[in-house]
Amino acid sequence: MDDMEHPVIGFGLAYGNQLIYCEAVMKDNQYDILFDGLWVASIAHNDDWDWMQASGVILTEDIIAEIGLRIESHYQ
């Protein structure tokens, strides 16, 4: 995967009772979310600029919000 075409943001994330390595891979209109190197979901902004899940394993709103916050803080 070309990091210039699809930038990746990586960070530790508390998920359940464990710490996992989460990666957010920028795509055209969404981010692909990987947990420990495995794709689990895609998230995107809705019309109100809130983060929502577009596909994949159902994640809690708290996890989606945390991942979204990490993505946003990376660019600030």
Side-chain angles (χ1 to χ4, degrees):
M1 185 179 322
D2 182 352
D3 283 354
M4 296 301 286
E5 184 177 345
H6 299 290
V8 178
I9 301 163
F11 50 90
L13 179 70
Y15 183 70
N17 60 354
Q18 59 187 356
L19 182 64
I20 57 151
Y21 183 66
C22 179
E23 294 171 281
V25 182
M26 182 188 289
K27 299 293 180 142
D28 289 336
N29 296 313
Q30 64 189 25
Y31 282 85
D32 283 346
I33 305 303
L34 289 74
F35 286 0
D36 292 331
L38 300 173
W39 181 88
V40 292
S42 295
I43 66 171
H45 280 124
N46 63 19
D47 292 339
D48 295 324
W49 290 96
D50 294 320
W51 289 100
M52 60 170 235
Q53 185 167 349
S55 62
V57 175
I58 296 172
L59 302 174
T60 65
E61 288 184 28
D62 289 347
I63 292 293
I64 295 168
E66 174 70 17
I67 294 169
L69 182 64
R70 297 291 189 103
I71 293 169
E72 292 170 8
S73 66
H74 180 79
Y75 293 104
Q76 292 179 352

